[in-house]
């Protein structure tokens, strides 16, 4: 065990209490006012130069030491989800319909614990930029911070982030070079038919029947258009049309979630969805329009930065506790935007598996999930070692 981890274990009670306070007071994307104020005040207390307001509620804490010219970015997300908590824990959310169901409270606590140590004891030369990001959950807070000049105002030679991962042993570190998390497309299909009496369907053009055919036809894109060795997901999560059983409605709407681990496959999916939807609609005598809503790109970890991240992980917890090239995930993450601009790597820390049970082993975005507090000193120690290695 490293001396850094020893020191951070001694402060674990403080940052566990902080994490649980954040958990009790969850705030959804772009409304993390209390959270960002807490983060900003802690950073100021430790001597960081603090900037508020990037991406609305984002916070950047900058610390310079020595004459080094290298610049490192470490990012944590802060937002919660619109989920009613069901854990029954003493620190459960006190806000109805909101909870930290993805562990962003833990990610914030880990980076703050590292921030305190690096300010007082950190052995590095250069510039450290700690990025506390709002609105990761499908709202594109990373992109918004970048639009507000994140990397122009706080240039980084590399940027890193970490996410907890239920289903893996607590404290295990998992890394991957290359495509690591999928792109996400949020797509609406608007079908325009002709309403009529349900007893006289020949007088109308039924968008429900057309929509049903479109749903089934969409499933063939993955099986018949995407190369078998590539990964893709096309999910129709909602089909909305009509209110009465004896009325053929005028319109129908499909809501799609589409994922890919390759940029070329992402473009293929977009093209095939449009072609298929329009052709299916025409065959049923209706029209259809495909609307693409903002999504996330493929998250791609760069080779050199992932190699460094892997070395730090092995040094910290030992090779037996490191998965050096984990499987990719079809979930999405807006840190991908940052990695399109700056080289870096996104890694995972195990939050618990079936052998340990408990709330930490429960999958994220579930009302029974909770972050595993024993990961706070491990995650913080990882950030300290990475910063000191990168800014040596």
């Amino acid at each position: 065990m490293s001396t850094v981890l020893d020191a951070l274990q001694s402060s674990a009670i403080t940052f566990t209490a902080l994490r649980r306070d954040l958990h009790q007071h969850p705030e959804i994307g772009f409304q993390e006012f209390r959270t960002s104020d807490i983060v900003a005040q802690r950073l100021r207390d430790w001597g960081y130069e603090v900037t508020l307001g990037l991406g609305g509620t984002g916070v950047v804490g900058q610390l310079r030491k020595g004459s080094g010219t290298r610049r490192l970015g470490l990012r944590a997300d802060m937002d919660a989800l619109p989920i009613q908590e069901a854990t029954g824990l003493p620190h459960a959310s006190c806000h109805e319909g909101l909870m930290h169901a993805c562990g962003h409270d833990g990610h914030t606590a880990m980076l703050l614990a590292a921030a305190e140590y690096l300010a007082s004891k950190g052995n590095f030369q250069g510039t450290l930029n700690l990025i506390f990001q709002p609105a990761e959950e499908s709202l594109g807070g990373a992109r918004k911070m970048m639009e507000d000049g994140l990397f122009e105002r706080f240039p980084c030679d590399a940027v890193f982030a970490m996410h907890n991962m239920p289903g893996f042993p607590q404290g295990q570190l998992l890394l991957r070079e290359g495509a690591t998390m999928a792109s996400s497309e949020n797509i609406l299909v608007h079908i325009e038919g002709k309403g009529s009496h349900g007893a006289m369907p020949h007088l109308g053009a039924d968008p429900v029947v057309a929509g049903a055919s479109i749903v089934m036809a969409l499933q063939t894109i993955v099986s018949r258009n995407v190369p078998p060795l590539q990964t893709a997901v096309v999910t129709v999560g909602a089909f909305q049309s009509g209110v009465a059983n004896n009325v053929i409605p005028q319109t129908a709407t499909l809501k799609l979630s589409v994922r890919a681990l390759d940029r070329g496959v992402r473009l293929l999916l977009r093209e095939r969805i449009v072609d298929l939807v329009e052709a299916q609609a025409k065959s049923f005598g209706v029209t259809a329009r495909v609307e693409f809503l903002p999504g996330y790109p493929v998250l791609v970890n760069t080779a050199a930065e992932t190699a460094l991240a892997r070395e730090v992980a092995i040094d910290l917890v030992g090779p037996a506790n490191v998965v050096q090239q984990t499987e990719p995930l079809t979930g999405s993450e807006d840190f991908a935007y940052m990695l399109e601009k700056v080289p870096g790597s996104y890694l995972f820390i195990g939050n618990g598996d079936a052998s340990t049970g408990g709330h930490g082993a429960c999958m994220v975005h579930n009302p029974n999930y909770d972050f595993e507090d024993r990961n706070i000193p491990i995650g913080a120690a990882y950030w300290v070692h990475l910063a000191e290695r990168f800014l040596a």
Side-chain angles (χ1 to χ4, degrees), residues 301-383:
N301 288 332
T302 50
E305 288 69 29
T306 302
L308 172 63
R310 191 179 290 121
E311 291 172 7
V312 172
I314 292 171
D315 289 346
L316 177 64
V317 298
N321 294 314
V322 176
V323 179
Q324 298 193 34
Q325 185 71 356
T326 191
E327 295 295 318
L329 298 175
T330 51
S332 302
E333 162 63 68
D334 75 343
F335 187 66
Y337 287 117
M338 295 190 183
L339 290 179
E340 287 188 325
K341 180 79 171 180
V342 179
S345 195
Y346 185 88
L347 66 146
F348 305 95
I349 184 167
N351 205 55
D353 57 15
S355 66
T356 56
H359 297 286
C362 181
M363 185 47 63
V364 294
H365 293 218
N366 184 294
N368 287 295
Y369 164 88
D370 192 33
F371 182 83
E372 173 54 71
D373 287 320
R374 289 177 293 175
N375 277 338
I376 294 174
I378 299 172
Y382 182 86
W383 287 140

Side-chain angles (χ1 to χ4, degrees), residues 149-382:
L150 173 64
F151 291 124
E152 289 74 27
R153 297 173 64 180
F154 305 96
C156 296
D157 298 307
V159 63
F160 297 82
M162 186 189 311
H163 201 292
N164 76 96
M165 184 51 60
F168 292 90
Q170 182 267 317
Q172 185 180 65
L173 296 174
L174 304 96
L175 303 101
R176 180 177 176 82
E177 178 186 329
T180 301
M181 298 190 74
S183 61
S184 67
E185 301 281 7
N186 302 309
I187 300 173
L188 300 179
V189 176
H190 304 281
I191 304 170
E192 184 75 25
K194 180 181 179 183
S196 70
H197 196 294
M200 292 172 277
H202 62 291
L203 299 179
D206 195 337
V208 174
V209 174
S213 183
I214 290 171
V215 170
M216 297 305 295
L218 287 171
Q219 308 312 306
T220 67
I221 294 176
V222 174
S223 67
R224 290 297 176 267
N225 299 129
V226 176
L229 297 182
Q230 295 280 12
T231 298
V233 178
V234 177
T235 294
V236 181
F239 187 155
Q240 299 168 340
S241 184
V243 294
N245 70 329
N246 63 346
V247 176
I248 292 176
Q250 183 81 9
T251 63
T253 301
L254 307 181
K255 296 183 178 181
L256 281 60
S257 176
V258 179
R259 315 276 173 150
L261 281 163
D262 177 87
R263 290 165 179 151
V265 172
R266 183 188 189 192
L267 294 175
L268 170 66
L269 292 171
R270 291 171 64 102
E271 178 183 312
R272 287 298 298 134
I273 287 169
V274 172
D275 290 347
L276 189 149
V277 165
E278 291 179 349
Q280 286 283 314
K282 185 176 181 180
S283 73
F284 285 91
V286 301
T287 60
R289 176 174 60 86
V290 180
E291 179 184 3
F292 291 90
L293 304 177
Y296 293 168
V298 180
L299 186 150
V300 181
N301 288 332
T302 50
E305 288 69 29
T306 302
L308 172 63
R310 191 179 290 121
E311 291 172 7
V312 172
I314 292 171
D315 289 346
L316 177 64
V317 298
N321 294 314
V322 176
V323 179
Q324 298 193 34
Q325 185 71 356
T326 191
E327 295 295 318
L329 298 175
T330 51
S332 302
E333 162 63 68
D334 75 343
F335 187 66
Y337 287 117
M338 295 190 183
L339 290 179
E340 287 188 325
K341 180 79 171 180
V342 179
S345 195
Y346 185 88
L347 66 146
F348 305 95
I349 184 167
N351 205 55
D353 57 15
S355 66
T356 56
H359 297 286
C362 181
M363 185 47 63
V364 294
H365 293 218
N366 184 294
N368 287 295
Y369 164 88
D370 192 33
F371 182 83
E372 173 54 71
D373 287 320
R374 289 177 293 175
N375 277 338
I376 294 174
I378 299 172
Y382 182 86

